[in-house]
Amino acid sequence: MFSVDSYALTWHLDPAGPEVRGRTTVRFRGGRDYVDLAAAEVLSATLNGRPVRCDAPLTDLGPANVLEVDALFPFSDRGFRRVTDPVDGCVYLYASSYPNAAPRTMCCFDDQRLRAPVTLTVTAPPSWTCLANAPLRDRAGDARVFEPTHPIPPLVVTAAAGPFAAVTPSVHVPASRAAVDGAVVTELLARAVQFFEDLLVPYPYPKCEAVFVHEFPSLAMSSPGLVLFDQVVLDRLDVPRYAMTVVSHEVAHAWVGNLVSTSSWLVEGLAVYLSRLFVERFLPGGRPWDDLPGEPLPDRPYAPHLDRVLAVEARVGRPALLGGLRSLLGEFAHGHATPAEFEARWAA
């Protein structure tokens, strides 16, 4: 049986560099004849101490194996991104791999069912703030070493580095947006975490931080311990229904998608469903299940997926839907479940 034991990553995030130099050490067991890598250049690669080619089948595998790859990764729209703030010219770097760009940031087995703890080291200018999935463990000069994560799939491994301003201990924004009131986001994060803990199971990660970045490929993305938002969200925090929906949707992904992964339609359908339960609870009269005139909900693209979850609720009732979800989250924590396994809990 094939399994991945761990990843150890080092990312050199240089604001002036043309690429990111990244080193991956992946430990795995069992046979797998390929590895996923989309680097601009492979500087070196060894398997169990002998040179290999990453674009060729892996051979002579033992019961336990160590693959080490040193490579250069380009900046792109997915994977590693380098953006310049149009207001003050400051440069920011971050990694965004969802849904299939993990090989643009690391050598990996890019399958969300193959989870493993990740230990990340980031080197960046000493004055920069660096954020990642796990809490910071150690810092020496340019290098920041983060704690090992829980088992996570490669597609959610992320980091953000730059001259961010901490508007609260858990919310970071570009320096040019330092005047924003971060208390709104901080309160929504904390309230959503508490709401979903009461509804489901305890929050599964040691921290819940938010970072706002420029030119994010989507409105937001939830990764374990760190949510990345496009900075345009900051301009609509004074619209309660919008702010509640966007923030609670990403927090809900800590449970559905991150703690337990499954098919993308079910991940998004459940995140919309849970976030609207949050809005229903904390915005009386907010009509979370319907668009308001002139104000379509930001999660509207996932309406077909929500409809499939609402069909389950209509069939078994809300208590049974949530009870089955609680059961599954406990049973498959830090793992992967199929839609059929969700359905089996609801049917029971």
Side-chain angles (χ1 to χ4, degrees), residues 164-181:
F164 290 105
V167 290
T168 72
S170 60
V171 177
H172 297 76
V173 300
S176 64
R177 305 299 305 270
V180 73
D181 182 6

Side-chain angles (χ1 to χ4, degrees), residues 119-122 134-140 143-148:
T119 302
L120 175 64
T121 298
V122 173
L136 185 66
R137 181 175 68 189
D138 189 30
R139 176 172 178 174
R144 287 85 159 175
V145 182
F146 295 90
E147 295 282 355

